[in-house]
Amino acid sequence: DTHSDVTASLRFPEGFRWGTATAAYQIEGAAAEDGRGPSIWDTFSRTPGKVRNGDTGDIAADHYHRVDEDVALMRRLGVTDYRFSVSWPRVQPTGRGPAVRTGLDFYRRLVDALLEAGIRPVATLYHWDLPQELEAAGGWPHRETAYRFAEYAHIMADALGDRVATWTTLNEPWCSAFLGYGNGVHAPGRTSDVAALRAAHHLNLAHGLAARTLRGALPGSAEVSLTLNLHAVRARSQDPGDLDAARRIDAVGNRIFLDPVFHGRLPEDLVHDTAAVTDWSFVRDGDLATAAAPIDSLGINYYSPAVVAAGTSESPSPWAGAERYVRFEPAPGPRTAMDWPVDADGLYELLVRLRDELPGVPLVITENGAAYDDYADPSGNVKDPERVAYLHAHLAAVHRALADGADVRGYFLWSLLDNFEWAYGYSKRFGIVHVDFATQRRTPKDSARWYAEVIARGGLGEA
Ligand code: GBH
């Protein structure tokens, strides 16, 4: 079969964290229950033409009412960690003011169930569901939003700090800024290069303010982190134009976050590349130092690499003007149901790059996984062989990076459950557990059984 070619036993280090990941809007449902306010994703998903089939997260995987069942599923998988996100508008319906107790109680129940099951909770404060009222006030392009986020972080640290030891401020700020405000494929659906760059900066600021707040409000042993979807970008050739295309995408896709957060500076080439869009005067004295608040680890979400060449791409684009110089080449090889290329080397390349560029920063794969259609065999087993092959290849790449000195502490599989896949609605399934959205019945797929074995034996291959 597809994964038996790796015969050697690829063991992971003692204490390696094996997890699954989800996000609030994608699984919780209960969109108007217990005082939850609307988020930009409620608004966006109701806007005709924005989400496939007009799907919304109103019900999603109904996780809000099925916490115990879902934690029991994870207990059976044997995961050591579970990465979830907190819905900001469930806690602060307008993004401001006092917390709603019922909202906090939901996360207390979730966390208590996890701890009871021996699973470490890993909380992400922001996975894209900005309270709608904050968008009405200007959203992420508006500086004030960063300060509101830090207040919300404080509320969460006070509420859960006694039982959650691992915190992530933001999930993939690149997507929030550039898909949300640049090409408008994600909520709130705005298409403005300057708005996207302002959003990116205020997300960096928000991260730094929140990291400092969390540090002050949490016990000293708490771990504070940030998750980025770093782009594994390759030039099609060594021609100067192709190399420059890769540099541009690296600047606006990766270093726009890495440089502020780890070095307290903006990439000079990015400032130059975007001079026609903005003079960056929204960056105030001290902002970059704030963004560089010390953190304990970096989360990386990886799905596939990008191959770029000199040329042009369509507009509106998420690349803040770089689309006038960059063409995205179809990468060779097999594709997932998202039409994303399957290429585990991209993950290895990212990890060894970070090993070299960020020495001393522990790395965590906070998302990796794939969408595929599954099918039930005659006895009702849900088969997803391509997902198993994808996961195997990517874990082997992580192992290779570990062997080459990358300090990778854990791996979180995206995703525990089939869920609301943003602009694709329910048409794409990333879960290792199948969800029948008509009945909310959960059925573990073959990949779930495979992952449980990997965790039980502490790696790939024969025990
Ligand atoms: C993650 O986003 C999300 O955190 C998660 O919620 C989601 O369900 C999961 O992945 C699967 O999509 O925009 O031209 O660079 C990943 C989002 C997907 C953004 C690939 C960048 C590449 C095309 N990334 N995408 S481009």
Side-chain angles (χ1 to χ4, degrees):
D1 74 47
T2 43
H3 56 274
S4 55
D5 53 348
V6 181
T7 48
S9 167
L10 301 181
R11 295 264 177 187
F12 284 68
E14 203 60 48
F16 192 79
R17 295 160 75 155
W18 297 101
T20 53
T22 63
Y25 190 70
Q26 295 181 272
I27 65 165
E28 283 180 3
E33 276 178 56
D34 296 336
R36 177 184 174 284
S39 83
I40 55 175
W41 271 96
D42 295 293
T43 308
F44 188 75
S45 64
R46 278 174 175 64
T47 308
K50 298 298 185 188
V51 175
R52 198 173 283 192
N53 302 321
D55 290 341
T56 74
D58 285 359
I59 299 171
D62 197 33
H63 172 72
Y64 191 77
H65 300 113
R66 290 164 202 268
V67 163
D68 292 333
E69 181 183 354
D70 292 341
V71 172
L73 274 169
M74 284 190 275
R75 189 206 282 261
R76 284 196 288 279
L77 284 171
V79 298
T80 63
D81 290 61
Y82 172 55
R83 175 176 181 257
F84 63 95
S85 82
V86 176
S87 160
W88 185 351
R90 212 180 268 299
V91 173
Q92 286 182 297
T94 65
R96 296 187 180 88
V100 173
R101 211 195 0 137
T102 46
L104 292 177
D105 283 345
F106 168 71
Y107 296 103
R108 287 195 189 100
R109 275 197 288 122
L110 167 63
V111 166
D112 287 348
L114 290 166
L115 294 172
E116 171 73 22
I119 299 169
R120 208 182 284 123
V122 175
T124 297
L125 289 174
Y126 187 72
H127 198 129
W128 307 354
D129 43 357
L130 187 72
Q132 180 61 40
E133 282 207 22
L134 292 186
E135 175 58 26
W140 287 113
H142 181 59
R143 185 178 178 89
E144 232 357 74
T145 305
Y147 294 93
R148 300 287 73 75
F149 181 69
E151 269 179 23
Y152 156 62
H154 205 290
I155 289 172
M156 293 313 303
D158 284 347
L160 297 182
D162 59 340
R163 45 200 124 174
V164 175
T166 311
W167 295 77
T168 300
T169 55
L170 306 173
N171 175 73
E172 301 189 349
W174 183 87
C175 292
S176 299
F178 293 98
L179 302 181
Y181 297 91
N183 73 350
V185 164
H186 281 185
R190 286 159 66 178
T191 51
S192 155
D193 287 339
V194 67
L197 293 172
R198 292 177 63 103
H201 174 65
H202 294 135
L203 284 154
N204 281 331
L205 180 63
H207 158 74
L209 291 167
R212 193 168 67 193
T213 299
L214 291 172
R215 190 75 72 197
L218 294 170
S221 56
E223 179 185 341
V224 177
S225 187
L226 164 72
T227 280
L228 299 176
N229 59 308
L230 294 176
H231 300 259
V233 49
R234 300 182 188 134
R236 179 190 56 177
S237 80
Q238 297 302 301
D239 292 355
D242 294 347
L243 291 173
D244 192 60
R247 177 197 61 72
R248 284 176 187 272
I249 297 306
D250 185 48
V252 73
N254 298 330
R255 289 182 283 112
I256 189 172
F257 300 106
L258 290 171
D259 279 14
V261 167
F262 290 101
H263 308 297
R265 62 170 190 240
L266 281 172
E268 273 174 38
D269 58 338
L270 174 70
V271 174
H272 180 261
D273 290 348
T274 55
V277 177
T278 178
D279 61 4
W280 291 82
S281 54
F282 49 82
V283 178
R284 298 198 189 159
D285 282 353
D287 283 4
L288 295 166
T290 300
I295 53 176
D296 302 301
S297 62
L298 174 64
I300 301 143
N301 294 352
Y302 175 81
Y303 291 89
S304 46
V307 179
V308 298
T312 58
S313 303
E314 64 177 27
S315 176
S317 117
W319 303 110
E323 69 277 8
R324 287 185 289 129
Y325 305 90
V326 180
R327 184 158 51 90
F328 287 78
E329 297 266 304
R335 304 290 181 114
T336 69
M338 301 295 285
D339 205 31
W340 298 347
V342 178
D343 187 331
D345 290 343
L347 178 54
Y348 172 83
E349 289 159 19
L350 266 183
L351 293 172
V352 298
R353 169 188 178 175
L354 295 168
R355 172 200 68 189
D356 295 341
E357 290 186 4
L358 299 176
V361 179
L363 307 173
V364 179
I365 315 294
T366 40
E367 288 181 27
N368 175 242
Y372 285 108
D373 297 328
D374 50 47
Y375 62 95
D377 75 4
S379 46
N381 288 325
V382 182
K383 318 296 284 181
D384 57 344
E386 302 103 323
R387 178 174 291 104
V388 171
Y390 178 99
L391 296 170
H392 191 290
H394 286 74
L395 275 172
V398 175
H399 190 274
R400 190 152 61 93
L402 273 163
D404 290 345
D407 184 9
V408 186
R409 303 291 177 92
Y411 176 92
F412 290 75
L413 196 163
W414 184 272
S415 183
L416 175 67
L417 302 169
D418 290 336
N419 61 53
F420 176 81
E421 177 50 33
W422 306 115
Y424 294 86
Y426 299 98
S427 70
K428 303 293 176 194
R429 294 178 175 272
F430 275 88
I432 56 172
V433 174
H434 178 93
V435 177
D436 174 354
F437 291 104
T439 63
Q440 294 296 343
R441 193 169 158 212
R442 275 88 162 123
T443 310
K445 306 179 190 180
D446 275 357
S447 56
R449 284 177 281 280
W450 172 87
Y451 193 44
E453 277 175 40
V454 170
I455 297 169
R457 61 160 105 84
L460 303 168
E462 301 305 312

